[in-house]
């Protein structure tokens, strides 16, 4: 099979690596090679050896080459989108000194709280970085390492995010992008540079950090002979700066300066994530005020309890996840893992409003409603961060793009549709992170804007579901329980 020009978009997530071989002209997905990761850790610890990511990238590219039948000579560029926030510490030769601390490693919660306090509270942080330190942020993890393993911290010659580590292995040069850098809490979204005062607070030298490219599609180098030999690709092809997974998903949807601005996305996964691309710099303590990969901003909110929590309720009730009906008077806040948005880290699940005639199907429906109202309230906060009134008819009428595993579930789609009152689009492609990375690779190879590339590829489109009348009664009932129960009953 011959393809004129091919780009490879790599999605290096917590659990696996995917390498999407994509026709550079049309965005047609030719093959997706896959390889798993190993995550270790007890209690709050979540770690992976960065070498596992490199091995998985090599295996995924090999599988994609085989499956697609693409001639290596037709590949013109590669870009990596990676899980955000992870802390990778390297020695002088670029070898990991210890396993990486992943975004979902919660051991640094005390350090996050202390850092927030030291600078003068949440607003002082959002003014500089757009975000407040929490356990997921890289600055909190670095502080944890300094306090708990000072020998490794002292021996550290380079600090990288997961996607930076892989990009450097590809190109042989250190680089990051504004999007992933904005998840560290030591990069200023106000100035577009590392923040000297925060680096001093963290005992960090700029020399430890990679230079920040202008965008995730900037060409930061060429595939080295060594990396090319390992991957079975030609040396010298374009290597993009790459970005974080959320930023890459936005590119894959055609969100950004050259595409759609101020339009909402809801990702239904283990966690529920809402974001939009905007030109307004976000500074709300309730959100992560990230930079996007293309020079715009990406205000984002994340709830911890989404598909996994609802599936757990289904299992407890011995019901299929689709065997649910609206909750009636019952309210179930499925905060089984504590909650991040709203900030209730010690929360557990809360059930109220049961009557004699309440059915198991209604209880499961109430779990969907509790998770959906929580994440849709966060979505309103994202729209406010874009400088918009979420209740204004023109804003409330913008289609909500529904992505992630839950978007394939009938009950999830119907619950979000009923509680949001918005038109919904479920994009046809399930590989938006990898396709966003492929658009970054195309941008690095051709100099084109990656959002314009993804828009021309049409990767973010799908069938439109017309809005239904909003179920304000359920919205208000769930919201009232949440507001009355927090924090006393929920922590």
């Amino acid at each position: 099979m011959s393809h004129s020009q091919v780009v490879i978009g790599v999605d290096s997530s917590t659990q696996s690596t995917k390498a999407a071989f994509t026709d550079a002209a049309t965005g047609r997905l030719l093959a997706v090679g896959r390889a798993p990761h190993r995550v270790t850790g007890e209690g709050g610890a979540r770690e992976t050896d960065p070498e596992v990511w490199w091995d998985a990238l090599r295996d995924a590219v090999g599988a994609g080459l085989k499956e697609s039948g693409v001639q290596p000579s037709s590949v013109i560029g590669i870009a990596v989108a990676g899980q955000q926030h992870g802390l990778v510490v390297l020695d002088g030769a670029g070898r990991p000194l210890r396993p990486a601390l992943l975004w979902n490693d919660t051991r640094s919660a005390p350090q996050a709280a202390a850092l927030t306090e030291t600078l003068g509270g949440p607003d002082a942080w959002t003014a500089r970085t757009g975000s407040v330190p929490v356990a997921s942020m890289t600055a909190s993890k670095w502080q944890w390492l300094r306090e708990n393993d000072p020998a490794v911290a002292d021996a550290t010659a380079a600090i990288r995010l997961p996607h930076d580590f892989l990009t450097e292995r590809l190109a042989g040069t250190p680089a990051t992008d504004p999007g992933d850098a904005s998840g560290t809490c030591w990069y200023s979204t106000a100035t577009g540079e590392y923040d000297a005062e925060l680096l001093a607070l963290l005992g960090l030298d700029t020399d430890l950090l990679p230079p920040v490219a202008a965008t995730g599609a900037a060409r930061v180098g060429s595939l080295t002979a060594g990396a090319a030999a390992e991957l079975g690709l030609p040396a010298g092809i374009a290597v993009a700066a790459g970005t974080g997974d959320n930023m890459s998903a936005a590119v894959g949807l055609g969100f950004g300066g050259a595409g759609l601005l101020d339009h909402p996305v809801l990702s239904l996964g283990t966690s529920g994530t809402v974001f939009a691309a905007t030109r307004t710099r976000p500074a709300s303590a309730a959100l992560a005020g990230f930079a996007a990969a293309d020079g715009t901003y990406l205000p984002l909110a994340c709830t911890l309890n989404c598909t996994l929590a609802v599936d757990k309720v289904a299992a407890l009730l011995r019901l299929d996840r689709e065997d649910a009906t609206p909750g009636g008077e019952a309210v179930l806040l499925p905060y089984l893992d504590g909650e991040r948005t709203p900030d209730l880290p010690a929360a557990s699940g809360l059930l109220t409003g049961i009557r004699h005639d309440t059915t198991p199907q209604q209880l499961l429906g109430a779990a969907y409603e509790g998770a959906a109202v929580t994440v849709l309230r966060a979505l309103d906060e994202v729209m406010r961060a874009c400088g918009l009134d979420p209740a204004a008819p023109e804003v409330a009428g913008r289609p909500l793009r529904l992505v992630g595993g839950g978007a394939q579930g009938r009950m999830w789609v119907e619950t979000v549709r009923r509680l949001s009152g918005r038109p919904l689009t479920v994009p046809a492609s399930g590989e938006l992170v990898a396709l966003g990375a492929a658009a970054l690779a195309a941008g690095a190879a051709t100099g084109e804007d990656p959002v314009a590339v993804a828009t021309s590829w049409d990767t973010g489109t799908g069938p439109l579901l017309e809005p239904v009348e909003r179920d304000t009664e359920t919205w208000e009932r769930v919201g009232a329980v949440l507001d009355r129960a927090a924090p006393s009953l929920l922590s």
Side-chain angles (χ1 to χ4, degrees), residues 262-263 380 382-392 394-395 398:
D262 303 320
H263 275 247
D380 286 348
V382 167
M383 298 321 289
R384 283 185 204 102
C386 297
L388 301 169
D389 172 7
E394 193 273 322
V395 177
R398 289 181 192 180

Side-chain angles (χ1 to χ4, degrees), residues 134-180:
V134 287
S136 58
M137 300 287 179
T138 325
S140 312
K141 297 180 189 307
W142 170 248
Q143 198 71 351
W144 180 90
L145 191 69
R146 288 176 79 194
E147 293 173 19
N148 290 275
D149 200 347
V152 165
D154 290 344
T156 297
I159 292 177
R160 301 290 182 261
L161 294 163
H163 111 261
D164 307 340
F165 170 77
L166 294 168
T167 303
E168 192 167 0
R169 281 283 172 96
L170 293 170
T173 51
T176 192
D177 87 298
D180 215 5

Side-chain angles (χ1 to χ4, degrees), residues 66-444:
K66 193 171 171 183
E67 187 190 323
S68 65
V70 162
Q71 292 299 316
S73 58
S74 62
V75 177
I76 59 168
I78 187 167
V80 178
Q83 53 178 309
Q84 286 188 251
H85 309 304
L87 175 68
V88 180
V89 288
L90 307 174
D91 66 14
R95 287 186 302 261
L97 288 164
R98 71 179 311 286
L101 277 72
L102 306 185
W103 64 274
N104 53 352
D105 187 309
T106 55
R107 289 174 290 177
S108 59
Q111 285 77 19
L115 283 171
T116 304
E117 204 53 42
T118 306
L119 200 66
D123 294 343
W125 282 92
T126 53
R128 289 165 177 264
T129 72
S131 304
V132 182
V134 287
S136 58
M137 300 287 179
T138 325
S140 312
K141 297 180 189 307
W142 170 248
Q143 198 71 351
W144 180 90
L145 191 69
R146 288 176 79 194
E147 293 173 19
N148 290 275
D149 200 347
V152 165
D154 290 344
T156 297
I159 292 177
R160 301 290 182 261
L161 294 163
H163 111 261
D164 307 340
F165 170 77
L166 294 168
T167 303
E168 192 167 0
R169 281 283 172 96
L170 293 170
T173 51
T176 192
D177 87 298
D180 215 5
S182 70
T184 59
C185 274
W186 58 62
Y187 169 89
S188 169
T189 53
T191 65
E193 296 174 339
Y194 294 126
D195 186 306
E197 191 182 331
L198 297 180
L199 294 181
L201 176 67
L202 295 159
L204 280 176
D205 196 300
T206 319
D207 296 347
L208 295 175
L209 304 174
V212 184
T215 72
R219 182 172 182 159
V220 294
S222 305
L223 192 65
T224 67
E230 280 202 65
L231 299 177
L233 295 173
I237 64 170
V239 178
T243 193
D245 52 7
N246 289 303
M247 294 79 200
S248 191
V251 173
L253 285 162
F255 279 31
L260 280 175
L261 288 167
D262 303 320
H263 275 247
V265 184
L266 168 49
S267 174
L268 296 165
T270 303
S271 56
T273 307
V274 282
F275 61 83
T278 185
R279 293 198 192 279
T280 308
R281 182 179 167 267
S284 158
L287 302 172
F290 294 135
D294 74 331
T296 59
Y297 296 97
L298 202 76
L300 178 146
C302 180
T303 67
L304 288 182
N305 298 278
C306 198
T307 58
L308 207 61
V310 171
D311 284 352
K312 176 63 177 178
V313 174
L316 288 171
L317 294 166
R318 300 203 169 132
L319 293 174
D320 180 270
R321 65 172 63 144
E322 294 292 348
D323 188 11
T325 59
E329 288 183 60
V331 172
L332 204 172
L333 300 177
Y335 300 166
L336 310 188
D337 278 324
E339 190 43 82
R340 175 169 159 184
T341 312
D343 185 20
L344 298 163
S348 55
L350 180 70
L351 173 59
T352 182
I354 311 184
R355 302 286 184 191
H356 280 289
D357 58 358
T358 303
T359 66
Q361 286 76 13
Q362 284 177 315
L363 289 183
L364 181 53
Y368 277 99
E369 290 166 355
V373 167
T374 303
V375 76
L376 288 168
R377 278 167 55 125
L379 179 64
D380 286 348
E381 191 66 33
V382 167
M383 298 321 289
R384 283 185 204 102
C386 297
L388 301 169
D389 172 7
E394 193 273 322
V395 177
R398 289 181 192 180
L400 173 59
R401 277 157 184 80
L402 214 54
V403 301
Q408 305 310 311
R410 178 191 58 82
M411 191 64 192
W412 273 113
V413 173
E414 289 309 314
T415 305
V416 169
R417 195 179 182 192
R418 175 167 59 90
L419 289 169
S420 70
R422 287 178 179 272
L424 300 184
T425 297
V426 181
S429 174
E431 301 294 350
L432 289 165
V433 174
L435 283 166
L440 296 175

Side-chain angles (χ1 to χ4, degrees), residues 8-105:
I8 301 172
V10 177
D11 171 6
S12 178
S13 72
T14 317
Q15 303 294 343
S16 68
T17 295
K18 299 175 193 172
F21 283 68
T22 310
D23 184 303
T26 65
R28 191 164 70 85
L29 207 51
L30 307 171
V32 182
R34 292 176 166 81
H37 299 168
R38 286 189 307 280
V39 178
T40 59
E42 299 290 307
R46 294 289 182 277
E47 299 184 341
T48 297
D49 177 359
E51 295 293 351
V52 166
W53 302 329
W54 176 252
D55 292 345
L57 191 159
R58 183 193 62 219
D59 294 348
V61 167
L65 275 171
K66 193 171 171 183
E67 187 190 323
S68 65
V70 162
Q71 292 299 316
S73 58
S74 62
V75 177
I76 59 168
I78 187 167
V80 178
Q83 53 178 309
Q84 286 188 251
H85 309 304
L87 175 68
V88 180
V89 288
L90 307 174
D91 66 14
R95 287 186 302 261
L97 288 164
R98 71 179 311 286
L101 277 72
L102 306 185
W103 64 274
N104 53 352
D105 187 309

Side-chain angles (χ1 to χ4, degrees), residues 333 335 344 346-352 481-491:
L333 300 177
Y335 300 166
L344 298 163
S348 55
L350 180 70
L351 173 59
T352 182
V481 170
L482 175 51
D483 292 336
R484 286 203 310 269
S488 56
L489 270 177
L490 281 166
S491 39

